[in-house]
Amino acid sequence: MKSTGKIYLIVKRLCNIILKGLLCNVYFGKRFAGVQDRGIVFFPYHENRLNCGLTGIVAFKHKKTTDDRVDVAVLNHMLKKLEDHKVQNCRQNDLCFESHYLGGKDHVEAMLKAVRSLKSNETFYHLFVDTQRQDELSEFAGRLSEIIESESKFLSDHLGRLQSKDVDILVRRIDNLKDIAWCLTSEIVGNFKKIKNLLGSENQNPNMNVVNIFKQINAVLNSIDRLEVRGRDQLTERSDQDVLVNSGININQTQDENGKKRVALALTYKIAAEVGRLGDNTRFLRKQIKDDVILQRLAGFSHEYHTISAHTRWASVGAITEPNCHPVDNAILGNRVPEGGIIHACLNGDIDNYLELKKEHERQGCFPHKDITTDTKIIPLQIGKYIRQGFDVEEAFRRAVNDFEGSHAISMHTDLAPGRLFLAQKGSGQAIFVGIAEDHYVPSSEVYGLVEETPFFIKLDGEKEVEGRHGVTRGQIFILNQEAGGGLDGIKAMYYDRTPLALGEDDIKYTEITSRDIDRQEFPHYFLKESS
């Protein structure tokens, strides 16, 4: 065994030397989804797949390439085709509306796809730091707005003299142009300003990693704003609070599977308000993030993983207070630093047997702080109990959610499994949608929370019953792995009894809803916008 280990090390070192000039990473027996870009894997591991020949010996993962310089000329060329095929041009040249208006349906859809591609992390960054490109995009948006205005005016002026089928085509294509304009002005250019306002004085010349972190924070804040009641020595002080409240910090040191020490830091921002205007909460959180010197400095350092979780909810169990705001952690009275690892959880729904489970923990000497009266607290406590019993995080999470009675949707992340987000849903009262973007995931309780980032999603089905390991089972668990960089490869799915759940391309759905549809824009309430 020792000689085999030496051969393995020698081969790996030789490969690293040979491939150093190619900037490749070398792996042995590694799961392909977890390999970094430009990585070579000898004897790649694929779950539930038998490989033979070369594919079973070596695999190469290409780097996803993105043009550093966004070619706005391509967009302008597509825009020119729109201008050349406005309604008056089609009528004067006796062109078929269905095939030629605004260049045709396929052309408009291709343009929307091209504009949405600007939101990918690398492309977004190069736009973010290039004011010239931003000016070109603003000019492009202005020309697009002129087309929308002229076509909308024609439709309004000739509505009673057009055939119904032509009216339908006009309405659909103009609406598609409005989606493109909204994506460009709000989801891209508009977010430049929001992200810059989140950056503190420490990050006035941010690199791509810093911009990516705050881009994701901004996306979560945008989602929270749209989901909010829809229709309805500083470090020492912050890490020494009795309960997890606003500006709280958890620091924990763990080890990875190779024994390497790892330090995890969790920063929390909360606000609890029973009265106020829509948007107040998100404005407060944005200011907290911008003014947080510790976060701003840490963002500039290299890191292995980061996950962002947020929640907005009226309390169904417990008072509306900061300690009861989600997320809640696994700390107990007298032990502010969570034992073993940091566990943060959010809940939609109710844990009906919360009091029974709480009494069980109290009998074992684990008492939640008196200020925490939400049933959500039992989730991280129950997960922590199974981890202390020796189960890994995945199995501890699965066992815990099986203990909860009632309909629920749960999200959890922990430094014991960095870079992974754990989701569970059972029953019919709640939902979880997993948005699948080009290079990341956006889970949300409604599609409204993910459409700014991606229109593609998979929905957990907590009602579906299947024949499981020990009879009929229901309830689904998804584990999202950010190492996979998006797509189905990074999602591990199962039922509550650990029966595997196979996901395919057919499970990916598409929503026509855009953030333009559900954003309040300048209106103080959704009702006023929708009735205007």
Side-chain angles (χ1 to χ4, degrees), residues 130-251:
D130 191 335
T131 55
Q132 179 182 344
R133 297 288 173 177
Q134 292 178 28
D135 291 341
E136 292 174 354
L137 283 180
S138 296
E139 182 181 347
F140 173 88
R143 289 173 59 193
L144 182 60
S145 295
E146 290 176 1
I147 299 175
I148 294 171
E149 184 177 351
S150 68
E151 300 306 279
S152 298
K153 186 177 185 306
F154 178 90
L155 177 61
S156 176
D157 293 344
H158 298 79
L159 189 59
R161 299 191 295 272
L162 294 172
Q163 296 183 23
S164 60
K165 65 176 184 178
D166 290 340
V167 171
D168 290 341
I169 294 170
L170 277 161
V171 170
R172 287 199 304 270
R173 301 273 168 88
I174 293 172
D175 206 48
N176 288 338
L177 293 193
K178 289 179 179 179
D179 286 340
I180 295 172
W182 174 265
C183 178
L184 187 61
T185 57
S186 179
E187 299 176 347
I188 299 172
V189 176
N191 280 332
F192 290 156
K193 182 178 180 180
K194 289 182 179 180
I195 294 169
K196 287 176 181 176
N197 286 336
L198 285 175
L199 294 170
S201 58
E202 299 284 335
N203 289 306
Q204 291 308 298
N205 294 297
N207 59 32
M208 185 162 23
N209 287 332
V210 171
V211 171
N212 187 32
I213 289 173
F214 284 94
K215 175 176 178 279
Q216 293 185 24
I217 292 174
N218 178 67
V220 170
L221 290 170
N222 285 346
S223 296
I224 285 292
D225 191 32
R226 295 187 180 108
L227 291 171
E228 180 188 12
V229 197
R230 177 169 169 81
R232 314 192 349 170
D233 176 276
Q234 189 185 19
L235 179 62
T236 302
E237 293 176 358
R238 292 172 60 181
S239 59
D240 196 31
Q241 300 179 37
D242 290 337
V243 292
L244 190 63
V245 292
N246 182 51
S247 77
I249 292 179
N250 291 137
I251 302 175

Side-chain angles (χ1 to χ4, degrees), residues 503-521:
L503 298 176
E505 296 295 331
D506 291 342
D507 294 304
I508 301 177
K509 308 302 180 185
Y510 179 88
T511 177
E512 297 287 349
I513 297 173
T514 69
S515 64
R516 179 175 69 88
D517 299 321
I518 46 90
D519 195 275
R520 289 194 313 276
Q521 300 177 31

